[in-house]
């Protein structure tokens, strides 16, 4: 059994910023896995993904880097276009191709203490699949995919279908300020976090971009500062990097405040370059100090 199993699609990404256009692999699972792989082997980990056969080079590269990857076939690979303006906290997206969803039968073959569901689109995981995983371990969810509806190629924000059923069996959730508002209808992060907790989530993490992050757990709030980057290069994958750092700490029993600060520092280091986090534990601790 693994400490953490991240389940999510690896994508092909086109990232457009004011200064450059870059093509690379991506997706929650991609950024999460590389970030966790950069940290000490105190936490065992497996990535479960699904993509087309012609895109398996991304998996070969991950395995060569030492990441334990289980792959299921898909008719296509998710293809995202992420376009950023001058504000890295804001982006527009298009989906140029979709992958097959994950099924309960496939995931019967994996075992972990924490299942981190890296949703990209609303139909990646059914309610039954999430409930089945919750009977075997703790559920951690990155909510972004549940709030994305694809119309043609454009991505539009929607409310989360079946959210009450899924949140009732969710142990940890990470949302940003836009996602929390869509899910709860509330603009105040403290009120939104309490609403998510009332719906059953045990640890609520709200990331607020350059304003830091907020954690609600055991009926107590923890305010986490943001660490200023030397340069803002690419925000893609920052939330996934935060989740990797947070779960790395929580899987070892670290407290909420220390886990949040570690995750925030990882996120800042990721922001300073293209691609996934490639720093070290020592780099993170030096930034915190």
């Amino acid at each position: 059994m693994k400490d953490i199993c991240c389940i999510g699609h690896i994508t092909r990404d086109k990232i457009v910023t004011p200064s450059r256009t870059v093509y690379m692999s991506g997706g929650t699972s991609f950024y999460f896995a590389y970030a966790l792989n950069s940290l000490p082997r105190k936490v065992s980990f497996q990535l479960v993904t699904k993509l087309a056969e012609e895109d398996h080079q991304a998996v070969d590269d991950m395995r060569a880097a030492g990441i334990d990857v289980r792959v299921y076939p898909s008719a296509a690979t998710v293809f995202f276009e992420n376009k950023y303006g001058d504000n890295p906290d804001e982006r527009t997206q298009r989906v140029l191709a979709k992958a097959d969803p994950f099924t309960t039968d496939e995931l019967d073959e994996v075992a972990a203490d924490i299942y981190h569901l890296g949703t990209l689109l609303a139909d990646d995981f059914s309610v039954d699949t999430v409930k089945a995983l919750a009977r075997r371990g703790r559920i951690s969810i990155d909510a972004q995919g549940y709030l994305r509806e694809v119309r043609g190629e454009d991505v539009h924000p929607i409310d989360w279908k079946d959210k009450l059923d899924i949140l009732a069996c969710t142990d940890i959730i990470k949302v940003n300020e836009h996602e929390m508002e869509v899910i709860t209808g509330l603009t105040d992060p403290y009120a939104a976090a309490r609403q998510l907790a009332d719906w059953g989530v045990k640890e609520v993490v709200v990331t607020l971009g350059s304003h830091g992050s907020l954690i609600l757990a055991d009926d107590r709030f923890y305010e986490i500062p943001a660490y200023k980057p030397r340069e803002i290069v690419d925000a893609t994958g920052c939330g996934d990097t935060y989740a990797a750092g947070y779960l790395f700490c929580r899987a070892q029993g670290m407290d909420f405040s220390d886990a949040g600060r570690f995750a925030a520092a990882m996120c800042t280091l990721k922001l300073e370059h293209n691609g996934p986090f490639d720093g070290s534990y020592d780099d993170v601790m030096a930034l915190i100090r």
Side-chain angles (χ1 to χ4, degrees), residues 221-260:
F221 283 105
Y222 300 84
E223 296 176 346
I224 310 300
Y227 299 92
K228 187 176 181 179
R230 292 168 297 181
E231 179 186 11
I232 296 175
V233 176
D234 179 14
T236 305
C238 280
D240 309 318
T241 303
Y242 188 111
Y246 185 80
L247 293 182
F248 171 79
C249 295
R250 293 295 296 135
Q252 299 175 71
M254 293 173 62
D255 66 32
F256 306 109
S257 181
D258 287 345

Side-chain angles (χ1 to χ4, degrees), residues 21-244:
T21 297
V22 179
Y23 292 87
M24 61 177 65
S25 298
T28 291
S29 61
F30 177 86
Y31 287 99
F32 184 97
Y34 271 109
L36 203 53
N37 193 56
S38 296
L39 300 176
R41 306 291 181 173
K42 297 178 181 179
V43 173
S44 60
F45 167 69
Q46 182 179 54
L47 168 64
V48 176
T49 192
K50 205 164 189 176
L51 74 172
E53 184 175 355
E54 60 266 25
D55 294 313
H56 271 225
Q57 183 60 51
V59 171
D60 294 339
D61 293 341
M62 297 179 91
R63 287 173 171 162
I67 300 172
D68 180 359
V69 187
R70 178 188 291 267
V71 185
Y72 293 104
S74 173
T77 298
V78 180
F79 186 11
F80 271 113
E81 178 189 75
N82 296 317
K83 185 175 292 186
Y84 295 92
D86 293 328
N87 181 354
D89 293 336
E90 297 180 358
R91 70 179 173 186
T92 57
Q93 290 185 312
R94 292 195 302 159
V95 176
L96 308 182
K98 290 179 61 176
D100 301 330
F102 294 92
T103 69
T104 303
D105 289 345
E106 289 168 344
L107 300 182
D108 278 344
E109 301 177 16
V110 301
D113 179 52
I114 299 173
Y115 295 98
H116 181 61
L117 308 186
T119 62
L120 294 176
L121 299 171
D123 59 354
D124 285 351
F125 301 96
S126 69
V127 175
D128 289 342
T129 296
V130 177
K131 288 183 176 179
L133 290 172
R135 289 191 289 269
R136 291 153 39 199
R138 291 183 285 169
I139 298 295
S140 169
I141 287 181
D142 188 315
Q144 60 181 330
Y146 281 112
L147 309 180
R148 290 174 175 154
E149 180 179 73
V150 180
R151 303 172 193 164
E153 293 182 343
D154 295 327
V155 179
H156 296 268
I158 58 169
D159 195 3
W160 183 348
K161 181 183 178 183
D162 301 319
K163 65 185 175 188
L164 297 184
D165 288 335
I166 293 177
L167 292 173
C169 59
T170 298
D171 295 270
I172 304 166
I173 192 168
K174 184 191 74 63
V175 293
N176 63 28
E177 65 268 41
H178 306 296
E179 294 157 359
M180 74 173 191
E181 183 176 355
V182 172
I183 295 171
T184 68
L186 301 169
T187 57
D188 177 74
Y190 292 87
R194 285 212 176 277
Q195 179 62 82
L196 289 166
D198 288 344
W199 284 334
V201 182
K202 297 177 180 63
E203 298 176 37
V204 179
V205 179
V206 182
T207 58
L208 302 167
S210 57
H211 298 291
S213 52
L214 186 70
I215 299 170
L216 173 60
D218 294 338
D219 202 34
R220 177 181 172 185
F221 283 105
Y222 300 84
E223 296 176 346
I224 310 300
Y227 299 92
K228 187 176 181 179
R230 292 168 297 181
E231 179 186 11
I232 296 175
V233 176
D234 179 14
T236 305
C238 280
D240 309 318
T241 303
Y242 188 111

Side-chain angles (χ1 to χ4, degrees), residues 7-24:
I7 309 170
H9 296 104
I10 295 175
T11 70
R12 290 185 294 144
D13 283 353
K14 176 183 179 183
I15 300 170
V16 182
T17 67
S19 61
R20 70 194 82 181
T21 297
V22 179
Y23 292 87
M24 61 177 65

